[in-house]
Every structure is written in structure tokens, then in C-alpha cells.
Amino acid sequence: MKISKYMTTKLVTATPEMTVKDAFLSMRSHRVRHLPVLEGDELVGFLSDRDLRRPKWVDALDDWTQYYQIDDHTTVRDVMTANPEVVRTYERVSKAVKIFREQRYGALPVLNKQGELVGVLSAHDLLGALEELLNVPKK
């Protein structure tokens, strides 16, 4: 079972300079929870709705009253996961499942052999693979 069979290829992306507000609105209007972040054609980050709910930099704050104070100048670069872990189209779904379980990810960017972003593999996509396995007739 190759990743390419189950990944989502209709990509919604962000740029590092995009405001967090614009990224959130894009996620909401496209009904996605993860955005690959591109500079030109290069994958430089990955933004999840979890990053918007609890950015990593929050842990460094001494004053918890600042917790959700993201202003209109906060960019995707400020909260994204830089240099995200990726999977490749030709790899097996089992590799992605292992990464999802160990790292507690909800999605991963998918690159082709040339290193170009061609999809996203989400936990929802993996349910499609599971459904296919469960519906295989017994021999």
C-alpha cells in the first residue's frame, strides 16, 4: 500500500509571510486542518490548526495572560513547524502510520522523488486505507 494511493493531492498552501489570520481563514474556507508552507516551490514548513491553538512559543512565556494574544502582524513563519518531517509518494503507508503514532501528528506533507510537494497525507486519509483493508474478502 503506497502513500500515493491515499494522499490528498488537492493542495491548499500558505506562505511564511501570510498572516495567521489569513491562514486560519483559508483553512476554514477550504475545510482543512493542515497547510504546507511554501517559499516558491520549496516546502519550508507545515501549519496545523493545533499550531494556531497552542503555538510552541507559548511554553516560553512567563506571563500566561499573553497566551492567546496573537495580533494582525503574527505571520505563519512565527507559528509554523519549520523543516517538517515528510513522507514520499513511493513509501508504504505503514511508514506514515508509524510516524503518526510516534510523533502524534495529524498529517504529513508528501513529496515525490524530485522532492516536490505533491500531497498531504492525513489521519483521515489513513482511515481510507484501513477501510480498504477491512473490506478485503477473506480467502
Side-chain angles (χ1 to χ4, degrees):
M1 299 177 75
K2 301 265 190 248
I3 286 172
S4 59
K5 182 175 180 180
Y6 300 99
M7 68 184 192
T8 299
T9 58
K10 185 178 179 187
L11 294 173
V12 180
T13 63
T15 65
E17 296 78 26
M18 182 182 281
T19 66
V20 169
K21 179 181 178 181
D22 288 339
F24 168 77
L25 293 173
S26 180
M27 285 177 168
R28 188 172 69 179
S29 69
H30 290 95
R31 301 183 67 199
V32 297
R33 294 183 296 160
H34 306 89
L35 295 176
V37 182
L38 300 175
E39 275 188 319
D41 292 334
E42 182 183 355
L43 177 70
V44 295
F46 204 57
L47 181 70
S48 73
D49 61 344
R50 186 182 306 169
D51 295 324
L52 299 179
R53 288 191 312 268
R54 191 178 194 306
K56 291 178 183 74
W57 49 261
V58 168
D59 293 333
L61 291 177
D62 292 330
D63 180 7
W64 283 91
T65 63
Q66 301 293 317
Y67 188 72
Y68 282 108
Q69 294 183 7
I70 296 175
D71 62 30
D72 288 338
H73 303 291
T74 304
T75 65
V76 168
R77 185 183 311 277
D78 296 328
V79 298
M80 72 181 190
T81 299
N83 304 309
E85 189 157 2
V86 300
V87 290
R88 305 284 176 153
T89 53
Y90 53 83
E91 293 176 319
R92 298 182 60 75
V93 168
S94 58
K95 178 180 180 180
V97 169
K98 183 175 184 190
I99 294 169
F100 275 55
R101 291 188 67 222
E102 289 176 354
Q103 303 298 325
R104 300 182 56 103
Y105 291 153
L108 289 166
V110 181
L111 305 182
N112 63 14
K113 289 181 181 178
Q114 294 75 35
E116 301 163 326
L117 177 70
V118 293
V120 170
L121 183 71
S122 70
H124 183 77
D125 297 326
L126 292 178
L127 286 173
L130 176 62
E131 180 180 36
E132 186 175 300
L133 279 174
L134 293 174
N135 287 328
V136 172
K138 295 186 182 192
K139 295 180 181 179

